[in-house]
Amino acid sequence: MPSEPLVLGFDTSAAHCAAALLLGDRVLAMRAEPMARGQAERLMPLLEEVLAEAGHVWGDLARIGVGVGPGNFTGIRIGVSAARGLALALDIPAIGVSGFEIIAEAEGPDAIPAIPAPQGQAYTWRDGAPVFCTAEDLAKDLPGAAALPEPQEMARHIARVATRTEAAPAPVPLYVKPADAAPPRDAPPEIVDDLG
């Protein structure tokens, strides 16, 4: 195993599948593929391709970094589940990295984050906590807010943050607001008592 930590960072929190392999601060391989669906089927082969491109195998990894959101509910769960499974199988730490941490790594600690949310809205950071804001709030109160980098760069920043972060409990999804769940459209079945 190399003297510097070999760290695999990946993200599936939006319409992409992205990964980066770093040895210390040096990027060995990076890939990103746009996709609205199919991250669950594509993630593991993509990670294997990134490792192979750099001439490494799973057992060489010192740790894993994964994007934990906010973002697409299903995509976040895919990435976090994969990271937790790999960490358990390889007996290495998995570090969850939020979109807010990615922006701070890319733009600096004073950057005001604006992470896309449904219906043209955004997630931002206020008073030490993530919050949901409308596009109007963002334009009025947070001009010049920083957006997430391109997916490939997101994976690189995730790996860099994971390289420096002390081992923590297993990563968990970062949900700023609960998942939208529509009530059932069908009326419940009618129970008929036909004993009489």
Side-chain angles (χ1 to χ4, degrees):
M1 185 175 279
S3 60
E4 291 184 285
L6 186 67
V7 179
L8 179 65
F10 58 91
D11 185 75
T12 56
S13 66
H16 63 255
C17 201
L21 184 66
L22 272 62
L23 180 61
D25 278 338
R26 191 166 50 106
V27 176
L28 301 180
M30 290 194 318
R31 285 212 184 156
E33 296 177 8
M35 57 182 61
R37 296 175 192 252
Q39 290 97 330
E41 294 79 13
R42 184 66 185 123
L43 178 60
M44 295 308 290
L46 180 82
L47 298 180
E48 288 179 343
E49 291 166 13
V50 166
L51 284 166
E53 180 181 325
H56 286 282
V57 295
W58 293 108
D60 295 339
L61 294 173
R63 61 181 45 205
I64 293 168
V66 63
V68 296
N72 175 283
F73 180 82
T74 302
I76 293 168
R77 294 178 66 84
I78 290 166
V80 168
S81 297
R84 291 178 75 152
L86 287 168
L88 184 62
L90 299 170
D91 194 27
I92 59 175
I95 309 296
V97 180
S98 75
F100 303 111
E101 292 172 292
I102 293 168
I103 290 172
E105 177 72 20
E107 302 291 332
D110 295 329
I112 299 168
I115 298 173
Q119 301 174 352
Q121 299 181 350
Y123 303 111
T124 191
W125 193 264
R126 286 192 186 147
D127 302 322
V131 295
F132 183 72
C133 66
T134 65
E136 295 82 28
D137 290 341
L138 194 59
K140 182 179 80 172
D141 299 336
L142 303 169
L148 286 167
E150 293 299 314
Q152 192 166 291
E153 288 298 310
M154 285 177 63
R156 181 174 69 88
H157 290 302
I158 289 167
R160 287 186 68 184
V161 171
T163 298
R164 293 191 314 267
T165 303
E166 291 298 317
V172 296
L174 172 62
Y175 302 129
V176 178
K177 65 178 201 146
D180 296 328
R185 293 182 186 177
D186 299 330
E190 183 178 335
I191 298 175
V192 179
D193 182 10
D194 59 340
L195 295 174

